[in-house]
Amino acid sequence: AMAFLIDDMVVWLAQKLKEAAEAEMLDESAVRESLLNLQMRLEMGEIDEEYYMKKEDALLKRLEEIRRYLDKN
């Protein structure tokens, strides 16, 4: 009986970890915050236009992936 209880706890924990990872991975607000931060750094002269464009492109693609995933599920 104790082995079943431990198995159930492990399964529950694994499910909670999966849910937390998915929530973090699908957090649009974190991507938007990164975009704003990137724009601020460009305006303050901390990064150049080339770096900005490269990072912005990656973040916009990530945002698009999140939205596509959420639309399917």
Side-chain angles (χ1 to χ4, degrees), residues 27-40 59:
D27 185 4
E28 283 187 49
S29 64
V31 177
R32 285 194 299 272
E33 185 176 325
S34 293
L35 281 165
L36 287 172
N37 185 26
L38 188 66
Q39 186 174 3
M40 271 190 345
L59 288 167

Side-chain angles (χ1 to χ4, degrees), residues 38-50:
L38 188 66
Q39 186 174 3
M40 271 190 345
R41 291 179 64 205
L42 176 66
E43 291 172 4
M44 294 175 66
E46 293 180 13
I47 59 174
D48 64 17
E49 186 80 23
E50 183 180 345

Side-chain angles (χ1 to χ4, degrees), residues 9-36:
M9 288 173 58
V10 169
V11 169
W12 178 84
L13 180 59
Q15 182 62 34
K16 291 298 173 189
L17 289 171
K18 179 181 179 244
E19 290 169 8
E22 283 180 348
E24 186 175 328
M25 187 178 78
L26 300 173
D27 185 4
E28 283 187 49
S29 64
V31 177
R32 285 194 299 272
E33 185 176 325
S34 293
L35 281 165
L36 287 172

Side-chain angles (χ1 to χ4, degrees), residues 1-13:
M2 187 64 151
F4 289 120
L5 180 61
I6 291 172
D7 285 349
D8 288 345
M9 288 173 58
V10 169
V11 169
W12 178 84
L13 180 59

